[in-house]
């Protein structure tokens, strides 16, 4: 086993109204990828912030290479060899790749205040090439894909000669090929002796990449064990404190009338000639690779992006949807993939966010009915098991999974007829995923139409009655759960542009 580079012992961290870490322990060793997993709200984010100097612990000890130390802020942690690539990347998109790598530590020409771009660009090129990235160091980071932006973040750690690299949900916004490239780089960094903390909700990634795993629950350390000694069921049981026998609790329902029909819908540069129907009492899934046009299609249906031609029918009647307000009036709810930017007002309370889509229904003559808002918000908190100190807590203080449930509560409160879930379980834990699926089941039981866009094939196969595959803005396959082609291999084949049939294989 490699040298212990960083160690936490008996770490406590308390916030007003909540204990975020209790007696937490962690060891990160050189040449090891250490997985960290736990439900949303288990304390993972707080642990990361303690390790990176963002939060000072209220108790316990931190050791770097065996020496007891205090981390006086993120810069101090960086100087001591700890680097973190957060889920929301710290990239300045208007600056070049080289500027981002050297930000805060620019190289200057000898005896001058002028920046030495020849040296910085050459170093940047070498670092990116070491990660198999042929990137122009002078190009703006905003022009790069998410995978390359993430490589720029890792490049910062390499430049800083980090000894500990923390990755927070590193694959949440990456396509399949980008994930493979990331894994190749991480294996190389492990061989180079880095200690890597890999935080993810994707169990299959932990089994593929990690040597050791630590499970957290309710702010506490539950277990640390070799990855090869654990099973998926073991991890889930340790995470949630109970066995989850059915990860996809889809209820059998009988599809009803067509709620949404789209005919030959086209938006130049986004998608072309899209036609489908979605029925009440069924889940219609949309699969495809990154850039397939799924999100763009439903943004247009919701009125957020323009439509050049085609028809939208609600309950058999043609409708004109020019702006999101029109879509809402026709009973369409869109739960966006980026909950923090498009789904929530982070500075407002849980109650205010849950009430956003129903302000008209909870007001009279311009005055809000506060008691009605509180009643509806408390009902959503109970029904969706939202973990929050109170409905008056700021939503930014909640974990990602609980923020997602607030978004769901906002729209279920509004009692829409058609619910579009765009990447509804991205970045949330297994337990929270099941609560999202159960929320979908309740909508189906109430006769609603549910549409799910997802990059997670297992959840599409586990939850959908019907599935549409898109590639480059066009539909390449349509199938039902009873078709022989309703499997991961054929879905991926269609996503890559291959032809599939519904004949038995």
């Amino acid at each position: 086993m490699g040298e212990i580079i960083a160690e936490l012992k008996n770490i406590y961290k308390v916030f007003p109204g909540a204990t975020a870490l209790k007696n937490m322990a962690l060891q990160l060793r050189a040449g090891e990828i250490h997985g960290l997993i736990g439900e949303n709200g288990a304390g993972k984010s707080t642990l990361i912030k303690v390790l990176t100097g963002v939060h000072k612990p209220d108790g316990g000890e931190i050791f770097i290479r065996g020496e007891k130390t205090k981390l006086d802020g993120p810069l101090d942690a960086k100087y001591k060899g700890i680097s973190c690539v957060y889920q929301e990347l710290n990239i300045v998109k208007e600056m070049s790749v080289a500027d981002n790598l050297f930000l805060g530590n620019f190289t200057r020409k000898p005896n001058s205040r002028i920046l030495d771009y020849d040296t910085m660009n050459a170093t940047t090129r070498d670092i990116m090439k070491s990660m198999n990235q042929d990137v122009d160091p002078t190009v703006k980071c905003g022009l790069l894909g998410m995978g390359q932006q993430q490589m720029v973040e890792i490049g910062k750690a390499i430049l800083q000669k980090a000894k500990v690299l923390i990755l927070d949900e590193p694959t949440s916004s990456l396509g399949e090929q980008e994930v493979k490239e990331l894994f190749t780089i991480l294996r190389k960094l492990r061989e180079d002796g880095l200690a890597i903390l890999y935080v993810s909700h994707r169990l299959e990634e932990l089994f593929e990449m990690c040597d050791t795993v630590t499970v957290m629950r309710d702010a506490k350390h539950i277990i640390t064990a070799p990855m090869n000694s654990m099973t998926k069921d073991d991890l889930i049981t340790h995470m949630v404190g109970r066995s989850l026998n059915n990860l996809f609790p889809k209820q059998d329902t009988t599809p009803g009338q067509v709620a949404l029909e789209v005919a030959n819908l086209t938006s130049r540069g986004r998608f072309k000639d899209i036609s489908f129907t979605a029925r009440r009492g069924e889940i219609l899934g949309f699969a495809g690779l990154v850039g397939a046009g799924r999100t763009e299609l439903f943004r247009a249906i919701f009125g957020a992006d323009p439509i050049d031609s085609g028809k939208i029918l609600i309950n058999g009647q043609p409708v004109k949807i020019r702006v999101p307000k029109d879509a809402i009036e026709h009973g369409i709810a869109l739960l966006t993939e980026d909950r923090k930017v498009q789904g929530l007002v982070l500075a407002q309370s849980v109650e205010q966010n849950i009430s956003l889509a129903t302000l008209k229904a909870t007001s009279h003559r311009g005055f809000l009915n506060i008691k009605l808002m509180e009643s509806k918000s408390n009902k959503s908190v109970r029904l969706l098991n939202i973990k929050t100190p109170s409905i008056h807590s700021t939503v930014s203080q909640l974990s990602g999974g609980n923020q997602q449930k607030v978004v769901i509560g906002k729209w279920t409160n509004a009692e829409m007829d058609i619910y579009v879930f765009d990447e509804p379980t991205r970045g949330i834990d297994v337990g929270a995923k099941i609560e999202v699926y159960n929320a979908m089941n309740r909508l189906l039981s109430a006769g609603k139409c549910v549409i799910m866009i997802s990059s997670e094939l297992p959840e599409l196969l586990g939850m959908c009655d019907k599935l549409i595959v898109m590639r480059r803005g066009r539909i390449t396959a349509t199938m039902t759960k009873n078709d022989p082609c309703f499997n991961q291999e054929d879905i991926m084949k269609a996503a890559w542009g291959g032809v599939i049939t519904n004949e038995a294989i």
Side-chain angles (χ1 to χ4, degrees):
M1 298 178 72
E3 173 194 7
I4 298 174
I5 303 297
E7 183 174 11
L8 304 180
K9 290 184 177 180
N10 305 317
I11 295 293
Y12 278 81
K13 182 62 186 175
V14 179
F15 295 110
T19 300
L21 294 174
K22 304 175 188 175
N23 199 31
M24 185 60 199
L26 183 72
Q27 291 183 342
L28 301 178
R29 296 178 179 272
E32 178 181 81
I33 299 180
H34 192 124
L36 179 64
I37 191 169
E39 289 190 276
N40 289 104
K44 302 186 302 299
S45 295
T46 304
L47 177 66
I48 291 172
K49 289 176 180 177
V50 167
L51 259 176
T52 54
V54 176
H55 291 328
K56 291 184 179 180
D58 297 312
E61 299 170 316
I62 300 174
F63 295 85
I64 304 294
R65 285 190 156 167
E67 291 189 13
K68 185 177 177 180
T69 187
K70 291 183 178 180
L71 300 176
D72 295 322
L75 276 179
D76 188 34
K78 188 182 297 184
Y79 292 144
K80 289 173 180 172
I82 299 173
S83 184
C84 182
V85 179
Y86 289 98
Q87 187 173 357
E88 285 86 21
L89 302 178
N90 291 320
I91 291 289
V92 183
K93 295 186 178 182
E94 292 301 312
M95 295 179 69
S96 72
V97 175
D99 283 333
N100 272 277
L101 247 68
F102 282 86
L103 191 61
N105 191 28
F106 290 112
T107 299
R108 303 183 188 277
K109 293 183 177 181
N111 304 315
S112 172
R113 296 175 62 85
I114 299 174
L115 298 182
D116 187 353
Y117 271 104
D118 289 340
T119 299
M120 290 194 297
N121 287 340
T123 302
T124 298
R125 190 176 288 107
D126 289 343
I127 288 175
M128 298 306 289
K129 280 187 176 179
S130 75
M131 298 188 293
N132 299 318
Q133 300 295 310
D134 186 14
V135 175
D136 180 353
T138 66
V139 74
K140 289 183 179 181
C141 271
L143 299 177
L144 303 180
M146 287 298 297
Q148 287 185 315
Q149 288 186 28
Q150 195 165 62
M151 294 302 179
V152 172
E153 286 276 49
I154 294 174
K156 292 181 188 178
I158 295 173
L159 178 66
Q160 295 157 7
K161 295 181 170 57
K163 299 302 180 185
V164 174
L165 175 63
I166 303 168
L167 297 162
D168 184 15
E169 298 291 345
T171 64
S172 63
S173 300
L174 302 186
E176 183 180 12
Q177 186 57 40
E178 292 172 319
V179 171
K180 289 180 180 178
E181 291 175 3
L182 173 65
F183 286 178
T184 299
I185 299 308
L186 294 184
R187 291 186 181 104
K188 182 179 182 296
L189 294 175
R190 174 172 59 188
E191 291 173 3
D192 293 341
L194 258 71
I196 300 173
L197 181 63
Y198 191 96
V199 185
S200 179
H201 289 115
R202 297 183 175 180
L203 301 183
E204 64 277 6
E205 292 180 3
L206 296 175
F207 281 103
E208 180 176 352
M209 291 300 299
C210 297
D211 307 292
T212 305
V213 64
T214 290
V215 181
M216 295 181 67
R217 185 173 75 243
D218 298 332
K220 295 180 288 189
H221 174 273
I222 299 300
I223 189 173
T224 295
M227 197 74 236
N228 58 17
S229 71
M230 302 291 283
T231 67
K232 184 180 288 188
D233 287 343
D234 291 336
L235 282 182
I236 292 171
T237 300
H238 288 308
M239 273 177 56
V240 302
R242 64 190 188 279
S243 177
L244 297 176
N245 297 320
N246 186 1
L247 295 179
F248 304 107
K250 175 67 167 66
Q251 293 180 357
D252 290 331
T253 55
T254 301
Q257 294 180 334
V258 173
L260 172 66
E261 181 177 356
V262 168
N264 308 113
L265 213 62
T266 295
S267 177
R268 282 190 294 271
R270 295 180 177 89
F271 52 86
K272 186 175 182 180
D273 198 26
I274 300 294
S275 298
F276 67 87
T277 58
R279 297 179 177 275
R280 296 177 181 275
E282 77 170 3
I283 297 181
L284 171 63
F286 275 77
L289 303 173
V290 173
R294 299 166 298 166
T295 293
E296 291 81 359
L297 170 62
F298 283 95
R299 280 179 55 85
I301 291 172
F302 194 66
D305 289 332
I307 293 171
D308 296 311
S309 61
K311 295 181 180 180
I312 300 173
L313 295 89
I314 305 291
N315 298 322
Q317 299 298 315
V319 297
K320 295 289 185 183
I321 298 177
R322 296 181 177 86
V323 293
K325 182 181 177 183
D326 296 338
I328 293 170
E329 289 177 352
H330 287 296
I332 303 175
L334 174 61
L335 288 81
T336 55
E337 63 174 331
D338 190 338
R339 56 180 171 262
K340 290 189 176 181
V341 175
Q342 299 173 343
L344 296 167
V345 181
L346 293 175
Q348 291 190 348
S349 70
V350 172
E351 177 191 24
Q352 289 169 322
N353 274 275
I354 289 177
S355 303
L356 279 176
T358 54
L359 291 176
K360 187 175 181 180
T362 54
S363 62
H364 180 64
R365 294 182 179 178
F367 292 92
L368 291 173
N369 186 332
I370 301 301
K371 288 186 177 180
L372 183 58
M373 287 173 57
E374 289 181 348
S375 174
K376 286 182 173 290
S377 297
N378 279 316
K379 181 180 178 181
S380 292
V381 167
R382 289 193 303 271
L383 194 62
L384 295 166
N385 192 26
I386 300 172
K387 295 178 181 177
T388 176
S390 81
I391 60 172
H392 305 297
S393 299
T394 305
V395 78
S396 62
Q397 298 174 343
L398 305 187
S399 66
N402 286 299
Q403 288 180 355
Q404 183 72 340
K405 288 187 277 187
V406 170
V407 177
I408 294 171
K410 175 181 72 175
W411 286 114
T412 53
N413 240 353
E415 297 183 356
M416 299 283 107
D417 286 326
I418 300 163
Y419 287 83
V420 181
F421 290 77
D422 192 355
E423 301 289 0
T425 64
R426 175 177 286 170
I428 66 176
D429 62 77
V430 176
K433 285 181 179 181
I434 291 178
E435 288 170 351
V436 171
Y437 302 147
N438 285 330
M440 291 181 179
N441 284 332
R442 287 192 291 270
L443 292 172
L444 295 183
S445 297
K448 308 297 185 181
C449 170
V450 176
I451 298 170
M452 177 165 63
I453 305 166
S454 177
S455 299
E456 301 283 344
L457 291 185
E459 76 175 1
L460 287 172
L461 292 169
M463 292 299 296
C464 294
D465 302 286
K466 184 178 174 182
L467 189 63
I468 291 173
V469 186
M470 290 184 65
R471 172 177 167 81
R472 294 182 178 176
R474 290 178 177 268
I475 291 176
T476 57
T478 300
M479 61 191 74
T480 70
K481 62 182 178 182
N482 297 320
D483 290 330
C485 61
F486 196 69
N487 59 71
Q488 292 199 40
E489 292 77 14
D490 280 327
I491 293 170
M492 285 306 301
K493 184 178 178 181
W496 282 106
V499 178
I500 64 172
T501 70
N502 283 330
E503 297 176 3
I505 299 170

